[in-house]
Amino acid sequence: MHDRPLILGIHGLANKPPREEKQAWWGQAVAEGLRRNVGRSPPDLPFDFVYWADLRYDAPLADDHNREPYYPARGRGPFPSPDGVCAPTLTDRLYRVIEWIQVKAGRLILDDLIIEHRLDDLWGYYEDSVFRDAARDRLRQALAQHEGRPLLLAAHSMGSLIAYDVLRLLERQGKLPRIAHFVTMGAPLGLAEIKRRLASEHGDLRVPEAVARWSNLGDREDLATVGTTLAEAYAPNRAGIGVVDCPVINAYRRPRGGKNPHKSYGYLRTPEFSRAVAAFLDGEMRAESKDRAALSAASGA
């Protein structure tokens, strides 16, 4: 049905496998997390995917060059979660001091180096307006295609930046998609340079009006999440919806055993993301059932 709830994903930095493969892997990672973390195995997971890597790379990532494919994780039972609230790491503390110095000096030298040399696609996003507009259009088209449906918008890494920009731009056009839950994962939205650019384009830093809930999932070892927490940086929207920063453990391991705390599959398999998906599907299905019951009662009156 056109108004059924939907999980809409958008990927992050770097080249990717072909669209169909990447979308399938995201769906499998979500399903694996639901099964292991909350004991759920939906027969038909409502999922769609926004793919933009082809706008920046000439050819998809080939299998023999993909060091970080999706594969089911070893073991059984829930994936790990942090014990209590994760305190800022030493990297966080150092970055906050450097950010303060940069802002006072009026030059964001460190951020420019991080973005250009470690997060290259972010640099391209801001330097290449054709690429930026095309990436935004991919998400706009998906939101238009699913207009009227309640959405859990799952945005990883640079996908969170694209999603934030699009939601703020649509807001100015008077268009508010039904974002029941905005889940950002490994988001670079706390970097000083990103915050400066967002405020320059949108006028302020706050939760988009279309968003009914915003959860920001971050592994504290993930370099992209360094900086201020998003709850500190982004004010609530007019409905009073603020960002909830949620520390997680990204347990993804490369096939040969190396860690990558930024990998999308690890975030999609966290218990925190699984619980968000289960609550979204349950809540929207209950709302749909109530709406049907009310419509049936009205028709029979």
Side-chain angles (χ1 to χ4, degrees), residues 36-88:
R36 287 186 53 168
N37 296 320
V38 296
R40 300 277 295 272
S41 297
D44 182 21
L45 189 69
F47 178 67
D48 199 5
F49 191 64
V50 177
Y51 183 89
W52 56 263
D54 59 318
L55 299 172
R56 186 152 169 81
Y57 297 92
D58 293 333
L61 188 64
D63 288 344
D64 57 351
H65 286 82
N66 188 358
R67 296 174 57 241
E68 298 178 336
Y70 166 77
Y71 64 94
R74 301 178 182 87
R76 298 181 180 180
F79 286 90
S81 288
D83 294 327
V85 177
C86 287

Side-chain angles (χ1 to χ4, degrees), residues 5-259:
L6 177 78
I7 302 163
L8 179 62
I10 177 169
H11 72 76
L13 295 159
N15 198 9
K16 305 298 177 192
R19 183 191 191 283
E20 295 76 13
E21 185 173 56
K22 187 66 176 176
Q23 176 170 348
W25 282 353
W26 264 54
Q28 290 169 33
V30 174
E32 181 185 4
L34 285 172
R35 184 175 64 255
R36 287 186 53 168
N37 296 320
V38 296
R40 300 277 295 272
S41 297
D44 182 21
L45 189 69
F47 178 67
D48 199 5
F49 191 64
V50 177
Y51 183 89
W52 56 263
D54 59 318
L55 299 172
R56 186 152 169 81
Y57 297 92
D58 293 333
L61 188 64
D63 288 344
D64 57 351
H65 286 82
N66 188 358
R67 296 174 57 241
E68 298 178 336
Y70 166 77
Y71 64 94
R74 301 178 182 87
R76 298 181 180 180
F79 286 90
S81 288
D83 294 327
V85 177
C86 287
T89 64
L90 177 60
T91 303
D92 288 323
R93 295 190 183 99
L94 288 173
Y95 179 84
R96 293 184 188 200
V97 172
I98 294 171
E99 178 181 5
W100 182 85
I101 295 172
Q102 288 184 118
V103 172
K104 287 293 183 182
R107 298 182 64 194
L108 301 175
I109 298 173
L110 177 62
D111 283 68
D112 290 341
L113 289 172
I114 291 173
I115 290 170
E116 184 171 355
H117 297 290
R118 293 298 300 273
L119 307 174
D120 180 63
D121 286 336
L122 281 176
W123 179 85
Y125 183 74
Y126 282 118
E127 295 300 317
D128 184 348
S129 62
V130 174
F131 163 56
R132 181 173 65 249
D133 291 344
R136 290 175 177 182
D137 282 343
R138 289 281 174 89
L139 179 56
R140 283 195 190 96
Q141 292 165 11
L143 292 173
Q145 177 186 350
H146 299 297
E147 183 178 3
R149 298 182 73 167
L151 301 174
L152 185 151
L153 179 55
H156 177 242
S157 185
M158 194 176 112
S160 64
L161 174 59
I162 298 170
Y164 184 86
D165 279 336
V166 168
L167 293 177
R168 292 297 302 271
L169 291 169
L170 288 176
E171 182 181 300
R172 293 208 289 272
Q173 299 169 13
K175 300 176 182 178
L176 298 179
R178 295 177 62 186
I179 310 299
H181 200 165
F182 184 30
V183 182
T184 49
M185 304 170 288
L189 300 176
L191 286 172
E193 176 66 12
I194 299 300
K195 292 185 292 185
R196 184 189 69 80
R197 289 179 180 267
L198 290 174
S200 176
E201 180 170 7
H202 304 299
D204 59 356
L205 295 178
R206 59 170 172 79
V207 177
E209 297 298 338
V211 171
R213 183 180 180 187
W214 183 352
S215 298
N216 179 52
L217 277 54
D219 184 306
R220 301 315 298 153
E221 295 185 14
D222 182 352
L223 178 64
T225 67
V226 74
T228 55
T229 64
L230 299 198
E232 292 177 88
Y234 293 79
N237 62 17
R238 287 184 293 181
I241 306 300
V243 185
V244 176
D245 290 295
C246 184
V248 302
I249 295 176
N250 186 329
Y252 178 83
R253 296 291 184 274
R254 300 183 181 99
R256 294 187 178 182
K259 294 172 59 176

